[in-house]
Amino acid sequence: MKLRESPFINRRKKTIEFYVHHVNSTSAAHIALAGSFNHWAPDELQMTAAKDGFWKISIPMLPKGKYYYKFLFDDRMWMEDIENPLREPDGVTGFNSVLTV
């Protein structure tokens, strides 16, 4: 499968797809997506390990705007989307990834 950019806005399906390519499906027990679009809830949007060895999730299209997000690995480590070059300081010691719809 061809690797897609993350996040990928799929206007045809009216979804937004997020991918974690740099962590194979056996490197983490679970990965969650959290951001300003779901009030940073760490247990709401669980990613799925794909057969091709990466992680993915698809969410419904969001209203136009600017959103911030991160991935949570095994309920312990927050990480920005390194596939997405758009990021801003998170106000602590790291970065939030930026999604503009």
Side-chain angles (χ1 to χ4, degrees), residues 2-86:
K2 180 180 176 244
L3 296 181
R4 289 213 169 147
E5 63 188 48
S6 180
F8 175 72
I9 298 174
N10 190 331
R11 298 200 185 278
R12 185 178 58 78
K13 290 183 178 179
K14 297 183 176 147
T15 61
I16 302 169
E17 301 165 6
F18 296 84
Y19 298 92
V20 176
H21 298 119
H22 61 282
V23 176
N24 70 39
S25 59
T26 60
S27 297
H30 54 88
I31 301 174
L33 169 67
S36 57
F37 45 81
N38 74 341
H39 306 288
W40 295 95
D43 55 352
E44 227 174 69
L45 300 173
Q46 298 296 317
M47 300 186 79
T48 303
K51 291 178 184 172
D52 294 344
F54 58 89
W55 295 80
K56 66 180 179 176
I57 189 169
S58 179
I59 65 171
M61 183 64 72
L62 297 167
K64 288 185 181 184
K66 184 177 183 179
Y67 301 92
Y68 301 98
Y69 69 95
K70 285 186 177 183
F71 300 116
L72 179 60
F73 290 78
D74 293 334
D75 298 319
R76 294 182 311 204
M77 183 179 71
W78 289 96
M79 181 182 284
E80 71 268 16
D81 186 349
I82 65 171
E83 306 294 329
N84 181 356
L86 303 175

